[in-house]
Amino acid sequence: MPKFTIQDVLPLPRTPVKIPRIGFGVFQDPPNKPECVSSCLAALRAGYRHIDTAQYYENEEAVGEAVRQSGLKRSDVFVTTKLGEPQGSVEKTLESLRASVERIGLGWVDLFLVHTPVSGSEGRREIWEALEKLKDEGGTKSIGVSNYGVKHLEEIKGYSSTIPAVNQVELHPWLQQSEIVDYCFKEGIVVEAYTPLVRTQKNDDPDVVSIAEAHSVTPAQVLVRWSLQRGFVPLPKSYNPERIKSNADVYKFELSDEEMERLNAKALPGGEGALLSVRSRDTNASEWQPEETSQKAGTSVIL
């Protein structure tokens, strides 16, 4: 097992870009408010060098402001954002992508993703072609997708020679999405794991608790470490500076093969472990339902 550090990066295949192996998510951070700037600054002070935002989150400006306030070199911070919907033409969609780059205000973004596959095959193609143009003009260093199933990934091959650098999907021991993960690894697509902490809903799981106690770490640290050892790029999030720091402090211990197997065995059938609607992973994109429901019901909006 390689000895991970918080400085570790992964090369994005077919690009000169390298992505930090752990990122900081800002979903549900207050839109462009000081609280979002503060949480991002706390992450950057803790050693994170990768922040993941989206148009949908309405906090792109705050992420850019945090990077500027951090005093770090632009080249030392990896920034991701996402576009959810096509705008009716490649040129109009390209304008929306450019607007994100402008709002962030750092000159470029390192990774721009299609946020969801819900717009249908024509909409997905429109966004992808606009992303390719943005990359060509230097607005982004790399492009990829989020919430894509195998069918959606295969579809891109029909109209583009550009293979997504990343697929960002919900991943944790209770939702392992093996078909998608195996496909991405085979195709050389980096897999990012959102909701890796399961929104703390599994912090009292007996196996997670016993593993955490064995290593004198928190349940969240166990889950982040599981994600890293599975070869994913986890995107933990928190508002609390101490938890932000703790979630990235996962390099002084290693999960054994037996502990990994115990966590791997948590996968629930039929996607029952999803916090996002199971229909979001259906191969028919028209059935993807991003509406928000109660967290107690075990679903959430797009991440």
Side-chain angles (χ1 to χ4, degrees):
M1 175 61 60
K3 299 297 183 183
F4 297 122
T5 73
I6 198 168
Q7 290 83 31
D8 283 350
V9 295
L10 284 175
L12 292 182
R14 299 166 292 273
T15 80
V17 180
K18 294 182 179 180
I19 186 170
R21 291 219 47 178
I22 190 169
F24 182 67
V26 296
F27 174 64
Q28 291 186 329
D29 267 22
N32 295 320
K33 296 291 178 62
E35 293 88 346
C36 182
V37 176
S38 296
S39 65
C40 289
L41 282 171
L44 293 170
R45 285 194 293 267
Y48 295 81
R49 293 295 181 265
H50 175 185
I51 301 177
D52 181 272
T53 182
Q55 287 189 2
Y56 179 77
Y57 306 166
E58 298 183 352
N59 53 25
E60 290 174 314
E61 292 177 17
V63 168
E65 180 60 25
V67 175
R68 286 188 291 274
Q69 288 188 23
S70 73
L72 295 167
K73 294 180 181 178
R74 171 63 188 93
S75 58
D76 290 340
V77 183
F78 190 101
V79 177
T80 299
T81 193
K82 316 177 195 74
L83 173 70
E85 297 180 353
Q87 303 300 303
S89 71
V90 172
E91 188 55 41
K92 288 181 179 179
T93 297
L94 179 58
E95 290 175 4
S96 182
L97 301 176
R98 290 170 177 156
S100 276
V101 177
E102 183 67 22
R103 278 191 295 272
I104 293 170
L106 298 173
W108 73 88
V109 297
D110 298 276
L111 176 63
F112 216 127
L113 305 179
V114 186
H115 202 157
T116 80
V118 300
S119 57
S121 58
E122 291 185 5
R124 291 191 292 270
R125 178 170 182 168
E126 179 183 307
I127 299 174
W128 192 250
E129 291 181 354
L131 282 172
E132 289 181 311
K133 289 181 178 293
L134 184 73
K135 182 181 177 184
D136 288 344
E137 66 186 35
T140 185
K141 302 292 187 182
S142 55
I143 61 177
V145 298
S146 181
N147 297 300
Y148 267 43
V150 172
K151 177 181 177 180
H152 307 125
L153 293 165
E154 279 289 303
E155 177 186 80
I156 294 173
K157 295 179 180 179
Y159 52 76
S160 175
S161 61
T162 305
I163 298 174
V166 163
N167 188 17
Q168 183 183 119
V169 295
E170 181 181 349
L171 286 171
H172 44 73
W174 295 267
L175 182 71
Q176 298 182 32
Q177 307 216 57
S178 297
E179 181 183 6
I180 296 170
V181 168
D182 291 347
Y183 176 92
C184 289
F185 284 170
K186 178 174 69 72
E187 295 288 324
I189 299 170
V190 169
V191 177
E192 290 188 318
Y194 71 71
T195 331
L197 306 182
V198 209
R199 293 187 172 181
T200 73
Q201 292 182 16
K202 300 296 185 179
N203 279 4
D204 58 353
D205 177 273
D207 286 305
V208 174
V209 171
S210 67
I211 292 170
E213 290 176 347
H215 294 280
S216 299
V217 297
T218 67
Q221 288 171 312
V222 169
L223 294 175
V224 172
R225 184 73 197 195
W226 174 86
S227 195
L228 286 170
Q229 290 186 209
R230 284 292 303 269
F232 309 146
V233 175
L235 302 170
K237 68 177 297 296
S238 175
Y239 307 117
N240 181 290
E242 288 305 312
R243 285 196 292 270
I244 289 171
K245 182 178 180 180
S246 172
N247 291 342
D249 185 15
V250 294
Y251 305 100
K252 299 172 185 175
F253 72 101
E254 179 181 320
L255 301 179
S256 68
D257 291 344
E258 185 271 338
E259 289 168 334
M260 288 294 292
E261 284 304 312
R262 285 163 65 189
L263 294 174
N264 290 340
K266 297 291 180 183
L268 297 175
E272 293 177 16
L275 298 180
L276 194 65
S277 170
V278 172
R279 287 178 294 176
S280 69
R281 294 181 305 284
D282 194 282
T283 54
N284 181 351
S286 66
E287 295 185 15
W288 202 93
Q289 300 294 326
E291 71 272 7
E292 185 172 16
T293 61
S294 167
Q295 286 191 22
K296 292 182 180 179
T299 60
S300 67
V301 298
I302 42 179
L303 299 177

